[in-house]
Amino acid sequence: MSSVPVHEDFDLDAYCARIGYAGVRQPTLAVLEALHFAHATRIPFENLDVLLKRPIRLDLASLQAKLVRGGRGGYCFEHNLLLLAALEALGFAVTPLAARVRYRTERLLPRTHMLLRVALDGRDWLADVGFGGEGLLRPVAMDGEPSAQFAWSYRVAEASPGLRVLQSQRGEAWEDLYAFTPEPQLRVDYEVASWYVSTHPESRFVQTLTAQLPSPERRLVLRGRELVEDRGGEAVASRTLADEAEVLAMLAERFGLRLPPGTRLEPGG
């Protein structure tokens, strides 16, 4: 059972409509994979509320108002708490975990990433729809078996007893994305971590706008005004957007984000 209680008012129908999922609703591997894929490719990873100085609320009512009915995305805690509610509503056995990000850093970072462990048919699966452009499209088995996901491949490696690392393959090398241990997390743990990443002056989310959306064909990433399209084996295409107006248009057109008229981004965006 999850250590994070699910709100009884979770609207599974609205969630499935938001991500375009119309399949069966049973706790099977096929459903887990389909739901994970639909969520990851329909709801963007983004930090706009941080830059707009709006609080990040992790209660389920707020998550549904923002990500489901509001046409917005969010970062890891928002995404994976929403997925957690959906999976538990379908009868999956889910344990929320926390990780230290290793991607693009050599520093030891605090546990500021959320992921889920799903126990199913005698195997554990890592589910995570909140890691952005480098993240998973489908769950990955936690026993080390590689998972090919279109142009990208992932695996969960054991770094030491009790410590596992999600890795992605680039060429012949495996690159660490984040490291995690098996201790279940409580909602208050995520509240503290979310407060840190949304307010600490050294947090990357406070410093720079980011919007990210993966798909089978490409990973679309916007950081500040730099737009990157990663197609896996192909060269990464990049261009710089001209101004805030083009950034806002890009967020609407390519990421599908609905922002109120008159939205102005902070200088860091």
Side-chain angles (χ1 to χ4, degrees), residues 4-11 59-62 64 85 88-89 187:
V4 179
V6 172
H7 197 283
E8 62 182 6
D9 292 332
F10 178 64
D11 190 338
D59 61 281
L60 194 51
S62 297
Q64 292 182 101
E88 289 199 330
R187 186 177 294 275

Side-chain angles (χ1 to χ4, degrees), residues 150-215:
F150 304 95
W152 297 266
S153 293
Y154 300 89
R155 71 179 183 186
V156 176
E158 186 172 23
S160 62
L163 180 65
R164 292 178 174 177
V165 180
L166 176 66
Q167 299 176 321
S168 65
Q169 189 173 24
R170 287 285 181 173
E172 298 300 319
W174 288 93
E175 181 178 13
D176 290 356
L177 298 181
Y178 55 75
F180 62 96
T181 52
E183 297 90 357
Q185 301 294 295
L186 302 174
R187 186 177 294 275
V188 67
D189 299 318
Y190 297 134
E191 293 281 359
V192 171
S194 180
W195 176 260
Y196 172 85
V197 298
S198 64
T199 64
H200 195 284
E202 293 186 7
S203 168
R204 67 186 71 179
F205 296 127
V206 172
Q207 297 172 350
T208 306
L209 178 150
T210 186
Q212 305 177 31
L213 188 64
S215 74

Side-chain angles (χ1 to χ4, degrees), residues 1 29 32-33 92-95 97 115-127 136 138-145 147 155-156 164 180-182:
M1 294 296 293
L29 179 57
L32 175 63
E33 291 180 334
F92 287 94
V94 191
T95 303
L97 304 178
L115 63 145
L116 304 174
R117 181 177 69 224
V118 182
L120 186 62
D121 299 332
R123 298 180 80 183
D124 285 339
W125 297 84
L126 190 163
L136 304 175
R138 298 193 177 104
V140 175
M142 293 178 64
D143 56 14
E145 179 181 351
S147 173
R155 71 179 183 186
V156 176
R164 292 178 174 177
F180 62 96
T181 52

Side-chain angles (χ1 to χ4, degrees), residues 2 4 6 10 15 36 39-40 43-45 58 60 63 67 73-88 94-99 112-118 126-132 135-136 166 178 187 190:
S2 162
V4 179
V6 172
F10 178 64
Y15 171 77
H36 194 289
H39 183 134
I43 306 182
F45 181 101
L58 300 184
L60 194 51
L63 295 178
L67 277 71
Y75 57 22
C76 69
F77 306 110
E78 298 170 286
H79 276 278
N80 285 325
L81 282 169
L82 188 63
L83 178 62
L84 170 64
L87 293 179
E88 289 199 330
V94 191
T95 303
L97 304 178
T112 57
H113 182 66
M114 179 183 179
L115 63 145
L116 304 174
R117 181 177 69 224
V118 182
L126 190 163
D128 180 4
V129 291
F131 201 67
L136 304 175
L166 176 66
Y178 55 75
R187 186 177 294 275
Y190 297 134

